[in-house]
Amino acid sequence: KQEVTQIPAALSVPEGENLVLNCSFTDSAIYNLQWFRQDPGKGLTSLLLIQSSQREQTSGRLNASLDKSSGRSTLYIAASQPGDSATYLCAVLKYSGGGADGLTFGKGTHLIIQP
Amino acid sequence: EAGVTQSPTHLIKTRGQQATLRCSPISGHTSVYWYQQALGLGLQFLLWYDEGEERNRGNFPPRFSGRQFPNYSSELNVNALELEDSALYLCASSLGAGSTEAFFGQGTRLTVV
């Protein structure tokens, strides 16, 4: 059974710092890995999608890497801003048997950027 | 372009009743996924519909069911509601099965009293 773990569970840093969020998964047979952002009580906003054949993706101040063999991904946020405060979720898409399992999510990292 | 839309935003039901949640995918997307986000449990995969058929379901009892209509919109039905069903229900859509990006709606907050 695929399990996704995110470390740390919570993080509070001053504005302007660069930071790294970590995600690990137990089964390396994945199709893709996606990073999401969730604001309190809201839906998920897709940040970055990394296909299993890719090593990294970049969007603005965000960079995500994937090491499928070791079952790890990192999300790097440069020059953090108070508006980055949210819960960041990592999810992997894996197939098993005759169909897709859907995305398996970690429990998230709750990020607070102090002004 | 409209994103994934869900209705209603909030729903309050009594234990034992039935709840119906609705989802409209992004135009052109044929796959719809349902997820439950209960407090303390994280996001869990419920159901996947593609081209009108149920393709897979997560580890949930049969009282969680749904369907996908010819226009690819979807409905999630929860029968015999229990207090533990209180959660944020999220719908996502993608272009189809496979390695494609999932886009999520804002969710329906179901409260069972």
Side-chain angles (χ1 to χ4, degrees), chain A residues 24-69:
Chain A
S24 62
F25 46 95
T26 55
D27 189 337
S28 61
I30 65 169
Y31 275 70
N32 64 40
L33 182 145
Q34 213 166 339
W35 282 93
F36 295 91
R37 163 190 177 133
Q38 186 175 31
D39 293 289
K42 303 294 185 182
L44 276 59
T45 300
S46 178
L47 297 173
L48 289 165
L49 170 73
I50 310 177
Q51 303 290 358
S52 62
S53 59
Q54 296 176 323
R55 297 283 294 184
E56 66 177 329
Q57 282 286 345
T58 297
S59 176
R61 294 183 294 108
L62 305 178
N63 175 276
S65 68
L66 173 64
D67 184 342
K68 201 173 70 163
S69 61

Side-chain angles (χ1 to χ4, degrees), chain A residues 64-111:
Chain A
S65 68
L66 173 64
D67 184 342
K68 201 173 70 163
S69 61
S70 67
R72 294 181 183 177
S73 176
T74 61
L75 178 66
Y76 176 82
I77 302 176
S80 58
Q81 303 170 358
D84 295 331
S85 298
T87 295
Y88 289 79
L89 294 159
C90 165
V92 296
L93 179 65
K94 174 183 176 298
Y95 284 102
S96 68
D101 278 348
L103 289 166
T104 301
F105 283 85
K107 294 203 170 179
T109 293
H110 182 55
L111 177 63

